[in-house]
């Protein structure tokens, strides 16, 4: 068995999970094409990275809001900087290795700002963002299974109201790559990231006198069992998002699959979503008709859960418990609903809109960050009402 101290032989469960991941990827490649199978493997690597690096978007923002600690936010800026340098030339070219590319570029308006704000509140109350929900579910956190279920419910409700929200005032989409070219767009993005990183340094030093030192990590001995340095997680996530762009033709996304799962479940129960504005878009209507396994979102999400589960078993920390106190259970329900609903209004979550949007050089990614951070301030203030000892 592998323990936290390291061992020679992985546990049986981790080998079973690895076989499921590889076998599932192979079956998907045969059924839907090699690219779909590869995307499931990328999802698995994302799950391992998120779990071992404990790379939380919501926890990093909360640490800065409540404690003035900016190490997590600076790691996010490193991740975004690498991603924008990789994405911008490829998006300017329009294709990569024969695959046509499109970035995550959406309008900035009332819908996006309201949705991102709701998402920010929800991810602090619920205890995790979109990617955080998936990797903690894979890690065996039963409370986050509840968050995920209500995330799906909120996503479906959001699709029902999508047309009304997107009819509210908004600006035209703005792409730094199209406006300034790849090099100019990179320069603008890096300047904004540098300013944010510098601001976190200023606040942290002013409040604590010195920057927080990262915990020691002997990666040579612990690369399989973790934990990984936060910056390694940032680099890996940027590279894996670029791999997703190259294979899927678009950046990594999480929550559109949640809306699809919920819509299909609703139709299975006798409902009809086909005339809702969100599902009238040709691409969404096609996904509603097709198998969920043919889309990048589903296979990558399942891959993330399996990858995180495998990482948790290798680390010796996979120990699910169904004992969930009432107030944290209520927080999971409320947080999940708010994140699901907010993500649909805001054209995505912390992954698709924030990470993917900024990596694509889109103004809406930065607007999402500001509104989501404002929501996180409120969500952080609300957390003591739901948790006696708030989770990380």
């Amino acid at each position: 068995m592998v323990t936290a101290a390291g061992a020679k032989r992985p546990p049986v469960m981790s080998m079973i999970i690895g076989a499921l991941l590889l076998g599932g990827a192979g079956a998907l490649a045969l059924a839907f094409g090699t690219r779909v199978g590869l995307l499931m493997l990328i999802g698995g690597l994302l799950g391992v990275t998120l779990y071992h690096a404990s790379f939380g978007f919501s926890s990093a923002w909360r640490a800065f809001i409540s404690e003035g600690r900016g190490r997590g936010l600076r790691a996010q800026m490193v991740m975004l900087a690498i991603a924008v340098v990789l994405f911008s030339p490829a998006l300017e070219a329009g294709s990569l290795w024969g695959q046509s590319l499109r970035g995550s570029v959406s309008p900035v308006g009332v819908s996006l700002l309201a949705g991102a704000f709701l998402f920010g509140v929800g991810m602090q109350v619920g205890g995790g963002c979109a990617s955080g929900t998936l990797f903690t579910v894979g890690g065996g956190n039963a409370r986050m299974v509840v968050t995920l279920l209500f995330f799906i419910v909120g996503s479906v409700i959001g699709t029902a109201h999508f047309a009304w929200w997107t009819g509210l005032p908004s600006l035209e989409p703005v792409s730094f790559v199209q406006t300034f070219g790849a090099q100019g767009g990179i320069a603008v993005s890096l300047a904004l990231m540098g300013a944010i990183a510098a601001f976190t340094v200023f606040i942290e030093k002013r409040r604590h006198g010195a920057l927080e030192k990262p915990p020691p990590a002997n990666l040579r001995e612990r690369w399989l069992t973790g934990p990984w340095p936060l910056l390694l997680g940032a680099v890996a996530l940027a590279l894996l998002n670029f791999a997703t762009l190259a294979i899927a033709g678009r950046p990594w996304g999480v929550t559109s699959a949640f809306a699809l799962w919920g819509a299909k479940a609703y139709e299975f129960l006798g409902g009809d979503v086909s005339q809702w504005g969100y599902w009238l878009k040709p691409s969404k209507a096609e996904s509603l008709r097709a198998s969920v396994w043919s889309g990048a979102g589903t296979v990558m999400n399942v891959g993330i859960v399996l990858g995180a589960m495998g990482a948790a078993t290798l680390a010796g920390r996979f120990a699910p418990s169904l004992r969930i106190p009432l107030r944290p259970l209520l927080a999971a329900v409320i947080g999940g609903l708010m994140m699901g609903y907010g993500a649909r209004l805001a054209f995505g979550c912390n992954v698709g809109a924030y990470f993917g949007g900024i990596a694509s050089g889109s103004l809406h990614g930065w607007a999402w960050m500001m509104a989501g951070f404002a929501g996180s301030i409120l969500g952080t203030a609300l957390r003591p009402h739901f948790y006696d000892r708030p989770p990380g």
Side-chain angles (χ1 to χ4, degrees):
M1 298 284 289
V2 171
T3 65
K8 295 181 179 180
R9 184 169 61 87
V12 173
M13 185 176 176
S14 66
M15 292 190 287
I16 293 173
I17 294 167
L20 283 174
L21 183 60
L22 292 173
L28 289 169
L30 291 173
F32 302 108
T34 303
R35 291 181 185 274
V36 178
L38 288 174
L39 288 171
M40 189 171 194
L41 295 179
I42 291 174
L45 293 173
L46 285 167
V48 172
T49 301
L50 289 164
Y51 186 86
H52 276 334
S54 296
F55 201 98
F57 290 79
S58 59
S59 57
W61 288 14
R62 187 166 63 250
F64 188 67
I65 292 166
S66 61
E67 304 170 27
R69 291 295 188 185
R71 187 167 65 92
L73 252 175
R74 289 190 291 275
Q76 289 180 23
M77 293 304 109
V78 171
M79 175 191 72
L80 292 169
I82 295 171
V84 81
V85 168
L86 293 172
F87 274 51
S88 297
L91 290 174
E92 186 177 49
S95 64
L96 189 65
W97 304 317
Q99 170 68 56
S100 61
L101 307 178
R102 62 178 177 86
S104 175
V105 182
S106 298
V108 176
V110 174
S111 177
L112 180 136
L113 297 175
F117 182 86
L118 286 174
F119 191 97
V121 177
M123 74 179 183
Q124 300 302 342
V125 171
C129 55
S131 55
T133 298
L134 287 176
F135 90 76
T136 48
V137 165
N141 188 318
R143 181 178 60 83
M144 296 306 287
V145 174
V146 177
T147 301
L148 176 58
L149 290 174
F150 282 90
F151 206 138
I152 294 169
V153 173
S155 295
V156 177
I157 298 171
T159 66
H161 302 161
F162 180 79
W164 183 85
W165 278 101
T166 53
L168 297 176
S170 67
L171 303 174
E172 291 296 317
V174 175
S175 164
F176 295 162
V177 175
Q178 293 180 357
T179 303
F180 304 111
Q183 293 185 353
I186 290 171
V188 171
S189 296
L190 292 183
L192 291 170
M193 294 167 199
I196 291 172
F199 179 70
T200 67
V201 170
F202 171 77
I203 294 296
E204 188 168 351
K205 285 186 174 181
R206 183 177 181 180
R207 184 163 176 180
H208 298 282
L211 298 182
E212 179 184 18
K213 293 183 178 179
N218 189 340
L219 193 60
R220 182 176 179 182
E221 295 180 3
R222 306 179 68 91
W223 69 272
L224 198 60
T225 60
W228 291 358
L230 195 57
L231 286 179
L232 176 61
V235 173
L237 290 177
L239 295 176
L240 290 168
N241 200 350
F242 183 69
T244 303
L245 177 71
I247 294 171
R250 61 167 180 78
W252 173 29
V254 173
T255 57
S256 60
F258 294 170
L260 179 62
W261 299 349
K264 283 187 173 287
Y266 181 65
E267 291 197 326
F268 178 79
L269 295 174
D272 181 15
V273 303
S274 62
Q275 298 308 305
W276 297 357
Y278 180 86
W279 300 107
L280 290 175
K281 297 173 63 177
S283 60
K284 301 302 182 184
E286 175 59 30
S287 67
L288 199 58
R289 292 190 295 267
S291 166
V292 293
W293 295 104
S294 64
T298 292
V299 299
M300 291 188 71
N301 287 353
V302 172
I304 289 170
V305 172
L306 289 175
M309 190 178 296
T313 59
L314 286 171
R317 293 194 293 268
F318 186 78
S321 172
L322 296 179
R323 296 179 60 185
I324 310 173
L326 180 59
R327 285 191 296 159
L329 180 63
L330 182 60
V333 172
I334 295 172
L337 286 172
M338 294 184 76
M339 285 191 287
Y341 192 82
R344 293 283 53 79
L345 308 189
F347 310 105
C349 60
N350 60 293
V351 172
Y354 169 45
F355 187 4
I358 291 178
S360 301
S362 176
L363 179 64
H364 95 281
W366 292 102
W368 194 104
M369 181 188 184
M370 290 186 291
F373 193 86
S376 287
I377 294 173
L378 176 58
T380 299
L382 293 174
R383 281 172 63 84
H385 297 289
F386 296 98
Y387 304 101
D388 293 325
R389 296 181 62 188

